[in-house]
Amino acid sequence: MFYIGCHLSSAKGFLAMAKDAERIGATTFQFFTRNPRGGNAKKPDPEDIAAFLRRKEELGLGPLIAHAPYTLNAASDKPEVRDFAFRAMSEDLERLELVPGNYYNFHPGSHVGQGSEEGIRLIAGMLNEILTPKLHTTVLLETMAGKGSEIGGRFEELSEILSRTKHPECMGVCLDTCHVWDGGYDIKERLEEVLYEFDRIIGLSKLKAVHLNDSMNPLGARKDRHAKIGEGFLGLSAMGSIINHPALKDLPFCLETPNELSGYAGEIALLKTLRREPISAEGPK
């Protein structure tokens, strides 16, 4: 199954997102757990959740990706910012127990001048307070572009966070194609080498999802500007190589390109034409 989707608005509820996904030909989707700039999360509606779970099963959707707000920064030097990160993640994971078996993705954070070592210590510390083997959601660290004081622009930083968590079995990584490209990993000409590095440093078994985005910037720019599929420095051929790579092809791919629903529908249809599904032993029929 080719799990390909995009970022949808959760404002109307889970069932509405499932209907939007069906309308645009998506087989998975991503959504913010609350306003991306922070604030309180909307209280879940049990009837909406029940209807969604039935529709999800009918459509064969998933796994889904819940995205934490951008303002979640466990590596901050401000106690009130770290407190929001703890509360937001704790609340989000509690609510996601209503739709178990999916992913919760977050940006590791920015050390804001404290240094990456201190930032990593704070992030791992928060995760150790929250994570428990009882969770039915896998928490994902997102690969970052490395702009400013961002943590996660290098695979080694993500590996260090994972190694310091008490429950690494509850965690994984989401690879963002724009971010790793902007961070200096050449997934256009050297995809095999980059994945080898990922496997050596983190382990491909930890790679659970992909944010599929082109980039407005050249390799190593460290700027994080997403472009539409095939319209950036990565290009359409690189996108095809990524979605068909044996180590990646069975993961959920989610678009975060600058689009509305109609644009996402077009990109999903385009990517499906690039997908090389395996031919059965009996040959084509």
Side-chain angles (χ1 to χ4, degrees):
M1 181 71 173
F2 181 28
Y3 291 117
I4 178 71
C6 62
H7 200 101
L8 298 177
S9 171
S10 60
K12 296 181 289 184
F14 277 94
L15 183 58
M17 287 191 288
K19 290 178 178 178
D20 281 342
E22 181 181 16
R23 190 177 303 120
I24 63 175
T27 48
T28 184
F29 60 83
Q30 178 177 264
F31 61 95
F32 276 115
T33 56
R34 60 187 70 210
N35 187 299
R37 298 302 169 190
N40 295 322
K42 182 181 177 182
K43 187 176 180 180
D45 178 353
E47 291 185 7
D48 176 64
I49 294 289
F52 163 72
L53 290 174
R54 289 193 297 269
R55 195 67 185 132
K56 179 178 182 289
E57 185 71 19
E58 291 167 359
L59 294 173
L61 293 179
L64 311 179
I65 305 173
H67 201 303
Y70 295 134
T71 48
L72 193 156
N73 184 12
S76 175
D77 58 345
K78 295 181 173 61
E80 63 272 21
V81 176
R82 296 198 302 272
D83 180 62
F84 170 76
F86 176 83
R87 287 187 294 106
M89 184 177 288
S90 299
E91 292 169 3
D92 288 349
L93 290 174
E94 181 179 355
R95 289 186 172 96
L96 286 170
E97 287 296 291
L98 297 172
V99 285
N102 296 301
Y103 297 126
Y104 179 74
N105 179 75
F106 78 106
H107 294 183
S110 297
H111 62 70
V112 292
Q114 301 177 96
S116 59
E117 170 63 26
E118 176 63 6
I120 288 169
R121 184 188 72 81
L122 290 168
I123 296 164
M126 180 192 72
L127 290 168
N128 285 332
E129 288 187 69
I130 295 173
L131 296 182
T132 165
K134 294 181 180 180
L135 285 174
H136 295 91
T137 300
T138 302
V139 176
L140 306 183
L141 295 164
E142 184 172 338
T143 59
M144 303 306 294
K147 60 184 176 68
S149 63
E150 270 184 349
I151 294 169
R154 308 306 302 166
F155 295 158
E156 289 83 358
E157 293 176 337
L158 299 179
S159 177
E160 187 64 24
I161 295 170
L162 292 170
S163 72
R164 294 190 187 195
T165 57
K166 295 176 183 176
H167 298 290
E169 72 279 6
C170 298
M171 296 199 64
V173 173
C174 176
L175 187 146
D176 186 299
T177 56
C178 171
H179 292 177
V180 294
W181 169 262
D182 276 26
Y185 291 101
D186 189 356
I187 56 172
K188 181 177 182 177
E189 302 294 341
R190 303 180 186 277
L191 177 62
E192 204 67 50
E193 293 175 33
V194 172
L195 292 177
Y196 175 83
E197 278 296 286
F198 186 99
D199 192 34
R200 181 180 67 81
I201 296 166
I202 297 175
L204 282 169
S205 63
K206 284 294 182 185
L207 185 53
K208 305 296 185 183
V210 177
H211 284 167
L212 196 64
N213 305 302
D214 213 320
S215 174
M216 293 183 182
N217 302 299
L219 178 66
R222 296 182 182 272
K223 289 183 179 179
D224 183 11
R225 296 285 304 280
H226 296 193
K228 295 178 180 180
I229 298 300
E231 296 184 15
F233 278 86
L234 276 164
L236 204 55
S237 178
M239 294 291 112
S241 296
I242 290 164
I243 64 173
N244 287 293
H245 193 281
L248 306 176
K249 65 184 181 65
D250 294 324
L251 301 177
F253 294 90
C254 273
L255 299 161
E256 296 179 319
T257 51
N259 266 315
E260 301 295 333
L261 276 182
S262 60
Y264 283 132
E267 286 188 335
I268 289 169
L270 172 62
L271 289 162
K272 285 180 177 179
T273 68
L274 299 180
R275 178 72 166 190
R276 297 189 295 273
E277 296 292 354
I279 299 173
S280 71
E282 299 175 4
K285 296 180 180 180

